[in-house]
Structure formats: structure tokens, C-alpha cells
Amino acid sequence: MPFRFFFNEAVNSLVRNWVMSIAAIVTVLVSMFILGVGTFIFINLQTATKAVKGKLEIELFIDSSASPEEIDRLGEQIDAMPEVRELRFISKDDAMEIMRERLKGSEEMLEAVSGNPLPASYQIVLKEPEKIEAVASSLYGDPIVDKTVRSTLADEMDSSDNYMVVSQGEGIKFDQKTYLRIDEEILRVSGDPQGDRVPVMRGQSGTETAPHTASATIYKVDGIKTGGETTERVLVATKYLLAGGSGFVALLAVASVLLISNTIRLSIFARRREVEIMRLVGATNSFIRWPFIIEGMTTGMLGATGALGLVLLVEYFFVKNVVTQMPFLGAETVPLLWLVGLIVGGGILLGSIGSSLALRRFLRI
Amino acid sequence: MRPRHDDGVRVITFENVSKIYEPNIKGLENVSVHIERGEFCFLVGHSGSGKSTFIRLLLKEFEPNEGSITVAGRNLQRMRRSALPYHRRNIGCVFQDFKLLPNKTVADNVAYSLRVTGQAARSIRRKVPEILQLVGLGDKMYNYPDELSAGQQQRVSVARAFVNHPSLLVADEPTGNLDPDTSVGIMQLLYRINRTGTTVLMATHDREMVDKMRKRVIALEDGCVIRDEDKGLYR
Ligand SMILES: Nc1ncnc2c1ncn2[C@@H]1O[C@H](COP(=O)(O)OP(=O)(O)OP(=O)(O)O)[C@@H](O)[C@H]1O
Ligand SMILES: [Mg+2]
């Protein structure tokens, strides 16, 4: 097949028919742009929800007076629950170890703590994050669950700062006394109550303000802590966003196909004499069709290439401006190869579907 | 009636062919014609007598309502659709309205029928100037059709029809749009092509030309063959 000949024919026809061609190219551009940006948003939501999902654990702090048998019994009870996917036990010693790891570089803080005030805990990962509240409340009544432990909402703190992070998912919880002691220690070390190292911790309902500093907020969780509601909302939002986005992209894709098909129809019409002559001199059907198919594919590809450039630009500015302002967003860009495949491949696909549609309807051979 | 040369190789065989256009217009009626390889043959008759219908049947642009048509040993009614392009490549055609592509140069117009057959670019580059030289347009290769006179355009179209060296060349009133002198030029071209062994079938109104050439004449009237003679006259 003389590809160069076909390509020249296609480009000539594209240029001759430029108004329609540009309309079709722009439609492809818009639909592929939205597809690309949608993918970018989706990937980031995915990472965000994955991160949140990882935190979607119930931590059950165990009263320090509980006997090993009682602890085992609770463990078996939890393990038997059908909603539970994973269960880890963090002993007091484990918790201390993790704590030490966390505080590396400022061990002096731990010197302020006598003995091991950290409670043992069960970390429960559920199969479906949606069930978190139900499971948590069913466990709440157990006698060995420590209802006096106070915790902080880890989601709202940032581990990269020099805060004293009491992170969920790592089994480090303090009773209020210890917590306040460590807090004071930080204050002492930093020497500046308004300084960076002052832990700013906010809670949801039931928030109590710690007595010693206005900026430190601790909230009571009654021995059980879940990351429920917000996460649930994020999950649902992701679902809707995905559905809505896909629908929108599909709609635009259909519009692109129809416009390309119409462009090709016009170019078939403009070249009907040529087609007639081609038939007379013995051109095969595929020989007649190729230039039109290539024309459609080129239209799709031009639109897609424009879209690709725009998406890369959006990613660039998003990462540059938004993420540097709000580092916790930690935006991930779509891998370039993926993006190229998705957008350019999508554009070419739309183009070839559009032109085959036109050929089938208007070039019966 | 013309004697049959049954020993020759037939290029065209029409056997009791009838063509009726929708709704009920007679195109051809019960036409039986045999044309041997290497013949030069005129198809004459009044306007509407069925000359173009004959040629279009030959090209398998549509099917006859009755009868059978064989071209170069192949029965057109039994031919598969996918074989049609190859059938057409075997027939060069020239028309009254030239059927050139206005946005392609003379050379590209001629190259067109070579490209269609999938010939290599190199042989296309060699053959196109050669054939244009032959029709006397070696210096017009890169002109566009509308920069040529009618006679020159018809030469381009003859060049395109012949560049593949088909075994059969059909021309439907190729001189219909040309003045007498230019017509003679085209006629000579077709005659030279015939001399290379190519069968030529030419539909025409041109009485003078037919009478001068003294070739075989098939006369149609109202869709029927009314006369078929060697070295005939237009009458
Ligand atoms: N596509 C068509 N549909 C209907 N009738 C047609 C069609 N083509 C030709 N005819 C009719 O068939 C008859 C033969 O037409 P044809 O074109 O073969 O004549 P012709 O001899 O070529 O005439 P001319 O010398 O004017 O070109 C005419 O009566 C014409 O009106
Ligand atoms: Mg005619």
C-alpha cells in the first residue's frame, strides 16, 4: 500500500475542507482534554482514597489491667467477625518501639516519660470501609477496651512537620496525662509556645481543649477511633465523580465521532468525481477507502495531540502552583506513556470510528 | 451482415444482451456482438440509440437484464464483486468529458491509474513521462488540466487509459467536444494504439471520421444492432 500517497491525499482533503476539519479537531481536543484531566483527577483521588483507606482502621486500645487471656479472647472475637480482613495486635512494647522510631532525633522527649505509658491495641482493617462505624460501635462495649484513652485525629496532622505526631495506624496512643507531659516537653524543648513544634491538633465532636495551651486540642475517643465519615464521603464522591466523568467523556466522544463522520462525509462528497474515476481505472475498495480513513485518523490525532499538550500543561501548573502551596495534596501526575496512549490512542480511535461510519453510509461500494 | 472470424480470440462477446432502465426505458435489446482481439471498431447510432449503454455494460457499471457478456474470456455475470477492479484495469477508458482530476497535475492524473494498480513509485516515474511523450504532451507534465486545451486534455485522458497497456481500450465519443482538426489528432492516437495490438472500441457521431477510417462499424438504433460490417461507412 502506497502509504505516502494515501497520506498526501488525506492531508489535501483535510486542508481543502478546513472549516469542518477544524470543528472536528476541536471537538476531539475538548473530549480528549477532559478525558486526560479526568484521569489526572481520578488518579489523585485514587491515591488519596487509598491513603485514607489505609487509615481506615479501628484501633482498639486495651485497658492495661486486662489479662493476656482476656486480650486473646477479644482477639478471637474480632477475628471471627466476617467484616474483618486483617487483625494486628500491638503490644505495649511494640508501641514503645514504634514510638521510639518516631521520635528519633529527639529522644529526650521520651526521657520525660517514666515506664511505658502506651496502651496495647488491636488494629482492625475491614473488608469494606463503609462498615467501620458499625463494627466500631459493636466493639465499644467490651470490658477490656480502654475508654479513657485520648487520641488525636492523625489525618489532620502532617508527619513532615516537626509536630509530635500521634499517628493512627501505628499503635501509639497516650493516655491524657502522658500526652500532656510529652506536650509540655515539646513546649519546653522548643521554648516557643507559638512555634512550629507546638502540636496543633483538632478533633471532631467532643473536642476538649487541653488546659495548658490554647493551641493544643485533644479530643476524646473513648478507646475507639475510626476515620469513618470523611472517608466515606470521599469514597462516595469518587464514585460519583468517576461515573459523571465517564458519562461526560462518553458523550463528547460520541459528538466527536459524529463530527468526524460528517467531515469525512463532506470530503467524500467533495471527491465524488475522484472516487468515480478511481473506480473506473480499477481501484480496489480498500484503495479508495484508505485516504478517507487516514483523514479521519489524522483529524483525531491532531485533536488528541492538542489535548495532550493542554493536559500536560494543566498537570504542570497544578503540581507547580497548587501542590507547592498545599504539599499534603501530594499530586501524582499520570505517567506520560499512559497519557499518550490514552489520549492519542483515543483520538485516533475516534477518528477511525468516525470515518468508517461515514464510509459505510456514504461510500457504498 | 459481417462474416464471423471464429478462429480469432474474442475480446468482447455480447450474447443476446438486453438492458432496460428503470422504469421501462429501453437501453439495449437483444444485442449479440463479437469483437476479436486487435480489432478497431466503431459503434455508431443516433443519440439515445444505446452506445453508452453498451460501453457501460462492458465496464460492468451495471448488469444486463438478459443475455451474457464476456470480456477477455471472463463472464461478467459470474464475476465476483471483488474481481471488478481487476476487470477495469484491463480496460482503458476515454470519455467525452475527459474525466480528469482538476486538482492534480497532468502527470499525477496519468500516474493515478498506475498507483491504483499498486505499481512501484519508480516505475510510475519512468512510465508517466514516456506515455506523455507519446501523446505529445511531454512539456505539459506539471500543468493542471484547466491550463490545457480541450484536445490536450483528451490526450491526457488517452494517456491515462493506455499507460497500463490494457488489452482493450473503449472510448465513448472521445471527439464529441473537439473541433475536426483536433479530432483527427485523437483519432490518429487511437489508431496508433490499435496498431500496438490493443483492441479499440469507439462510440461516435463523427460521420466524416468513420467514413475516412473504413474500419468495422456496428450501427445501433433504438437499442438494436441494425448493421455490422467490416470497412463500413457511417451512412
Ligand atoms: N441511467 C439511465 N437511466 C434511465 N435511462 C437511461 C439511463 N442511461 C441511458 N438511458 C436511456 O437509455 C437509452 C440509451 O441511452 P445511451 O446513453 O446508451 O445512448 P447513446 O447512444 O449513448 O446516446 P448519446 O449519443 O446521446 O450519448 C436512452 O433512451 C436513454 O434515455
Ligand atoms: Mg452516449
Side-chain angles (χ1 to χ4, degrees), chain B residues 1 7 15 31 35 56 99 113 115 139 151 157 214:
Chain B
M1 271 288 156
D7 49 314
E15 211 74 74
V31 168
I35 297 175
R56 296 177 71 190
K99 291 201 197 299
S113 64
R115 289 221 170 84
D139 54 339
S157 132
R214 299 305 299 252

Side-chain angles (χ1 to χ4, degrees), chain A residues 2 5 9 12 16 271 273-285 287 364-365, chain B residues 59 61 81 85-86 88-89 91 93 95 97 99-104 112-113 115-116 160:
Chain A
F5 173 70
E9 298 279 292
N12 279 341
R16 228 180 299 155
R271 288 168 62 191
R273 222 180 127 72
E274 213 162 317
V275 169
E276 180 203 336
I277 292 170
M278 282 173 112
R279 285 189 190 147
L280 270 176
V281 298
T284 56
N285 289 346
F287 191 96
R364 293 186 185 281
I365 326 186
Chain B
L59 291 167
E61 281 189 37
R81 282 182 71 78
Y86 306 95
R88 298 256 174 91
R89 287 175 200 181
I91 305 175
C93 356
F95 297 93
D97 59 353
K99 291 201 197 299
L100 297 176
L101 296 169
N103 48 2
K104 285 194 183 335
Y112 213 69
S113 64
R115 289 221 170 84
V116 155
R160 183 184 61 195

Side-chain angles (χ1 to χ4, degrees), chain A residues 91-105:
Chain A
S91 68
K92 286 172 79 75
D93 291 346
D94 294 340
M96 197 61 195
E97 197 47 50
I98 296 167
M99 181 83 240
R100 243 190 217 107
E101 200 57 40
R102 277 248 113 173
L103 294 180
K104 208 155 232 154

